[in-house]
């Protein structure tokens, strides 16, 4: 069951006025950080239970708030906080299920966690004496040996024997798949670090502690670290080499639905995949038209051959940084000249280029935004020759021409500048459907504001006398990235649904988008590596389409182009359905703490 939470952990004033909501959110954020910093030991059922109890108590408190007298902005804030807490609870529950899957592999946690948590106790102090601590440490190698022998026994079984050994009991062969092995290896490394913190926190300060504990501590650490290495390398096959298998941790359909609910997206994973496939079909038709305009007529427009030609148009070695800076200045001048959005002078001036290392490019093969900086992917002297060529081809001039405004202005840099100054407390609720959706919305807008006269299949927008894309090659570069965002929906969601393996994801990106293998591999490694949420990759195209739908609803009926773009920036990085509620104000939905996503933006 969920552990009790003390009254002292719950004490916090409830909001009573509209202007209390921002302070209430800030106080909750600090209380939550205080709680998690203290209960910092991972892979403990008790810690998970206690954290969930803390969050549920705060959620119950919030749900008693009467939103009726509050203005729409405060109602939005209340719904944002509800979703945030609810999402944290769902992720804790997923963590509990994952821990249960690894319970036998992490038996050492029953020793390590109590040792470390006893060190924190101050009311009343609780100290495990050195002799007793040494006795506990001395048990760890035996626990590790037992579970390792069970895993190795499973590996030795023939396939038909494995099917009969499923119910072999707690002491029989232990089946471990690659996903669980890699997750458990990471958990063991975390537990090893916790044990090191515990030992270092006592050894230098307590006479006699090292006499008892140094030897069993060293043996315990070696046993844990060797077992983690065994799981990672022998079971998962991950040995730190370029040809290592890519292994992720799919969360499943129910967890995806919970994430969508808290992101205020009224759609199922399957519906989002359908949107991605429909948008991909549109992109391919446009790519064929661009290919025909470039002289590639075979098959109605051989866009892959045309794309191969575009990839050869690269900045000379060593000049990619200068090219990026030039495109950035051009993009800033473009949106200012057309009066599309307000660009504050400090935002325009205070950013810098930063070259990405060869190691960084293993997961970031293209340009990326850092706070006040654009990371530039370009070959380094230490790369293998083929990798240098692929880096240049993947960051050719035409691709880079649309990547730069995506990352800087009017994309992420402008967005980040506003988010830090307009309702900054809302950064806690940041969602990829806004953050990446905003940047993709601008890619789509720059497409609309380009000259289509050279193509025989054109968007509905009128031709522009001041285009961003000045040639079919430019447009094909834009379409490459748009296809890439469509593909991200398909591969990431199908991965988490258990319908696509990492290898299939790589093949899909190469076949359907035209990626270089090294770049496709780097992309997939990033998608499944755990550093991004399961909906992050879908957030680009879906968020962009949400903003396009909202734009069509409000411009020009209620506001000008610039007013709309500025208003979206002032809302902060929140779900687009709630951006819509804020921009509609009194004409929007009457939000309550029972409200769920309902806007069918498609």
């Amino acid at each position: 069951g969920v552990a009790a939470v003390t009254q002292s952990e719950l004490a916090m004033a409830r909001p009573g006025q509209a202007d209390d909501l921002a302070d209430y959110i800030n106080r909750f954020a600090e209380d939550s950080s205080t709680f998690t910093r203290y209960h910092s030991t991972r892979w403990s059922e008790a810690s998970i239970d206690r954290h969930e109890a803390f969050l549920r108590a705060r959620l119950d408190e919030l749900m008693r708030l009467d939103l009726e007298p509050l203005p729409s902005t405060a109602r939005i804030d209340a719904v944002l906080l509800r979703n945030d807490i609810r999402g944290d609870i769902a992720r804790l529950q997923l963590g509990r299920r994952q821990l249960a899957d690894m319970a036998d592999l992490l038996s050492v946690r029953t020793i390590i966690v109590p040792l470390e948590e006893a060190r924190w106790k101050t009311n009343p102090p609780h100290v495990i004496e050195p002799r007793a601590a040494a006795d506990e440490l001395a048990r760890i190698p035996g626990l590790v040996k037992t579970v390792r022998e069970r895993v190795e026994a499973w590996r030795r079984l023939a396939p038909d024997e494995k099917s009969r050994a499923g119910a072999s009991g707690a002491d029989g062969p232990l089946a471990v798949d690659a996903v669980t092995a890699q997750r458990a290896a990471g958990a063991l490394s975390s537990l090893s670090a916790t044990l090191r913190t515990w030992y270092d926190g006592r050894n230098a300060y307590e006479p006699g502690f090292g006499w008892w504990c140094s030897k069993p501590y060293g043996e315990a650490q070696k046993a844990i670290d060797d077992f983690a290495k065994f799981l990672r390398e022998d079971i998962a096959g991950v040995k730190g080499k370029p040809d290592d298998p890519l292994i992720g941790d799919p969360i499943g359909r129910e967890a995806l639905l919970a994430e969508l609910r808290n992101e205020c997206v009224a759609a199922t994973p399957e519906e989002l995949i359908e949107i991605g496939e429909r948008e991909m079909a549109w992109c391919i038709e446009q790519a064929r038209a661009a290919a025909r305009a470039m002289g590639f007529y075979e098959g109605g427009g051989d866009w892959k051959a045309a794309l191969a030609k575009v990839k050869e148009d690269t900045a000379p070695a060593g000049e990619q940084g200068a090219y990026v800076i030039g495109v950035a200045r051009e993009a800033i001048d473009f949106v200012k000249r057309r009066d599309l959005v307000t660009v504050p002078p400090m935002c325009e001036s205070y950013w810098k280029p930063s070259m990405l290392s060869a190691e960084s490019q293993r997961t970031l093969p293209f340009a990326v935004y850092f706070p006040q900086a654009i990371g530039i992917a370009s070959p380094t002297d230490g790369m293998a020759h083929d990798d240098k060529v692929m880096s240049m081809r993947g960051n050719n001039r035409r691709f880079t021409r649309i990547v730069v405004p995506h990352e800087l202005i009017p994309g992420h840099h402008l967005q980040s500048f506003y988010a830090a100054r307009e309702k900054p407390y809302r950064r806690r609720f940041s969602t990829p459907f806004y953050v990446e959706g905003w940047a993709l919305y601008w890619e789509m807008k720059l497409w609309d504001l380009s000259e289509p006269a050279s193509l025989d299949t054109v968007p509905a927008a009128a031709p522009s006398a001041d285009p961003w894309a000045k040639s079919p090659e430019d447009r094909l570069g834009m379409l490459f990235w748009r296809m890439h965002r469509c593909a991200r929906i398909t591969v990431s969601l199908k991965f988490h649904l258990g319908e696509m393996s990492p290898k299939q994801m790589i093949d899909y990106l190469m076949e359907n988008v035209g990626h270089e293998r090294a770049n496709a591999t780097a992309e997939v490694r990033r998608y499944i590596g755990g550093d991004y949420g399961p909906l992050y990759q879908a957030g680009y195209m879906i968020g962009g389409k949400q903003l396009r739908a909202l734009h069509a609803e409000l411009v020009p009926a209620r506001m000008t182009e610039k007013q709309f773009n500025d208003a979206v920036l002032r809302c902060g990085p929140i779900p687009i359905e709630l951006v819509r509620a804020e921009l509609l104000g009194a004409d929007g939905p009457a939000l309550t703490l029972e409200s769920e996503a309902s806007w069918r933006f498609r």
Side-chain angles (χ1 to χ4, degrees):
V2 176
V5 180
T6 67
Q7 287 301 311
S8 62
E9 289 172 336
L10 288 177
M12 186 174 84
R14 293 178 61 208
Q17 304 294 328
D19 57 2
D20 289 340
L21 258 296
D23 287 342
Y24 182 79
I25 290 168
N26 287 332
R27 289 198 302 275
F28 170 79
E30 286 304 316
D31 287 351
S32 183
S33 295
T34 297
F35 187 95
T36 54
R37 279 194 298 266
Y38 182 82
H39 295 285
S40 58
T41 305
R42 296 192 63 200
W43 309 115
S44 161
E45 293 97 332
S47 290
I48 292 173
D49 287 347
R50 196 166 183 82
H51 193 186
E52 183 176 344
F54 166 81
L55 291 171
R56 287 193 181 280
R58 290 298 169 84
L59 183 59
D60 289 344
E61 178 184 71
L62 177 66
M63 296 300 288
R64 292 194 295 271
L65 178 64
D66 180 14
L67 298 191
E68 184 63 30
L70 302 183
S72 60
T73 297
R75 293 185 183 203
I76 290 167
D77 290 341
V79 172
L80 285 166
L81 182 56
R82 179 206 64 182
N83 289 357
D84 186 64
I85 298 173
R86 200 167 62 180
D88 283 347
I89 291 171
R91 285 181 280 275
L92 284 173
Q93 292 172 335
L94 176 62
R96 187 184 289 110
R97 293 193 295 272
Q98 292 176 333
L99 180 56
D101 291 342
M102 301 184 293
D104 289 340
L105 298 171
L106 304 184
S107 56
V108 297
R109 78 193 190 287
T110 60
I111 294 174
I112 295 171
V113 171
L115 284 174
E116 171 64 357
E117 291 187 347
R119 190 172 66 89
W120 307 341
K121 301 290 180 161
T122 59
N123 188 25
H126 179 65
V127 178
I128 298 177
E129 295 299 326
R131 166 64 189 275
D135 288 342
E136 290 295 286
L137 292 172
R139 293 174 51 214
I140 287 177
L143 289 174
V144 171
K145 181 175 182 290
T146 297
V147 71
R148 179 165 178 164
E149 287 174 348
R150 293 179 62 201
V151 175
E152 290 177 328
W154 176 267
R155 295 181 75 202
R156 291 193 296 268
L157 294 178
D160 61 327
E161 293 176 310
K162 288 181 177 179
S163 64
R164 295 195 301 270
S168 58
D171 298 325
L174 179 60
V176 183
D177 59 32
V179 171
T180 305
Q182 177 161 272
R183 188 199 307 144
L188 285 165
S189 296
S190 175
L191 288 165
S192 176
T194 297
L195 185 60
R196 186 177 303 111
T197 298
W198 169 81
Y199 183 79
D200 292 344
R202 295 188 64 178
N203 182 47
Y205 309 99
E206 299 179 29
F209 179 86
W211 192 91
W212 280 108
C213 293
S214 62
K215 183 70 171 177
Y217 164 74
E219 293 171 346
Q221 283 284 44
K222 184 177 187 308
I224 296 168
D225 293 343
D226 287 351
F227 186 40
K229 184 174 184 289
F230 165 75
L231 290 173
R232 184 178 294 110
E233 297 186 1
D234 292 27
I235 305 300
V238 178
K239 301 179 180 180
K241 297 181 179 179
D243 59 350
D244 279 349
L246 296 182
I247 299 172
D249 205 344
I251 67 171
R253 187 173 189 273
E254 291 306 311
L256 281 177
L257 287 170
E259 293 281 345
L260 286 167
R261 179 188 184 208
N262 292 316
E263 293 280 17
C264 293
V265 177
T268 65
E270 292 81 5
E271 288 173 325
L272 298 187
I273 290 170
E274 190 276 329
I275 292 173
E277 291 174 346
R278 186 173 68 239
E279 290 293 314
M280 178 69 86
W282 180 90
C283 288
I284 289 173
E285 285 304 308
Q286 294 294 321
R288 286 174 176 158
R292 291 193 294 272
M294 290 171 60
F296 293 87
Y297 294 102
E298 186 176 345
D302 189 345
W303 68 270
K304 290 186 179 180
L307 189 68
K309 180 180 179 181
V310 163
K311 288 182 179 181
E312 296 301 325
D313 184 7
T314 65
E319 296 183 19
Q320 180 72 359
Y323 180 70
V324 165
I325 292 170
V327 173
R329 300 307 316 172
E330 186 180 349
I332 294 168
D333 291 343
F334 185 88
V335 297
K336 289 174 63 180
R337 183 170 66 249
R338 284 178 164 269
D339 202 28
L340 297 175
V341 66
T342 300
V343 182
M346 180 171 279
C347 178
E348 178 179 346
S349 301
Y350 283 82
W351 60 269
K352 61 182 69 172
S354 176
M355 305 305 294
L356 294 172
S357 68
E359 179 61 25
S360 296
Q361 291 181 62
R362 293 187 72 229
T363 52
L364 299 171
F366 310 110
V368 63
Y369 181 68
F370 302 120
Q372 290 184 237
I374 183 169
I376 300 170
S378 184
T380 70
D381 59 356
M383 283 183 174
H385 176 72
D386 288 348
D387 290 340
K388 288 178 180 177
V389 172
M390 280 193 282
S391 177
M392 293 181 74
R393 284 167 54 82
N395 293 277
N396 62 75
R397 292 177 188 268
R398 312 299 183 165
F399 289 8
T400 299
R401 182 168 175 77
I402 193 61
V403 169
V404 173
H406 175 111
E407 302 298 347
L408 286 173
I409 296 171
H412 291 318
H413 180 57
L414 180 64
Q415 171 191 70
S416 178
F417 186 90
Y418 273 87
R421 291 160 175 81
E422 301 279 349
K423 302 183 183 72
Y425 63 90
R426 284 186 173 176
R427 286 180 292 180
R428 176 180 180 84
F429 310 119
S430 180
T431 168
F433 294 91
Y434 180 101
V435 172
E436 299 297 354
W438 168 261
L440 193 62
Y441 160 81
W442 277 100
E443 288 189 33
M444 293 173 167
K445 186 166 292 296
L446 291 174
W447 170 276
D448 293 342
L449 296 174
S450 293
E451 174 62 68
S454 61
L455 306 185
D456 53 9
T457 302
V458 299
S464 167
D466 183 18
W468 177 254
K470 302 181 185 303
S471 67
E473 289 84 357
D474 281 349
R475 292 176 74 83
L476 193 56
M478 298 173 82
L479 287 164
F480 170 84
W481 287 112
R482 199 149 164 178
M483 288 189 286
H484 177 60
R485 319 305 187 193
C486 298
R488 275 177 157 175
I489 299 173
T490 299
V491 298
S492 65
L493 294 185
K494 285 193 172 183
F495 169 75
H496 283 292
L497 289 170
E499 299 175 3
M500 190 174 278
S501 70
K503 181 182 183 304
Q504 290 171 320
M505 296 167 74
I506 293 169
D507 292 343
Y508 186 96
L509 291 175
M510 293 177 64
E511 176 64 23
N512 293 277
V513 183
H515 273 294
E516 304 290 316
R517 177 168 292 279
N519 293 339
T521 302
E523 284 289 302
V524 171
R525 182 179 288 113
R526 183 155 58 104
Y527 300 169
I528 68 176
D531 294 332
Y532 292 83
L535 295 178
Y536 198 95
Q537 309 311 326
Y540 291 75
M541 175 60 70
I542 300 303
K545 285 188 67 64
Q546 286 181 309
L547 282 169
R548 295 266 286 188
L550 183 56
H551 178 278
E553 183 177 357
L554 298 180
V555 179
R558 289 172 174 262
M559 53 184 69
T560 67
E561 183 79 28
K562 185 176 185 180
Q563 286 170 339
F564 174 82
N565 293 325
D566 288 355
V568 171
L569 285 170
R570 287 195 294 270
C571 287
I574 63 176
I576 306 302
E577 179 159 343
L578 297 180
V579 171
R580 178 175 181 267
E582 184 147 318
L583 296 193
L584 288 174
D587 295 331
L591 293 176
T592 72
L593 285 167
E594 285 71 41
S595 297
E596 299 291 350
S598 60
W599 180 41
R600 304 296 286 183
F601 60 91
R602 298 181 301 284

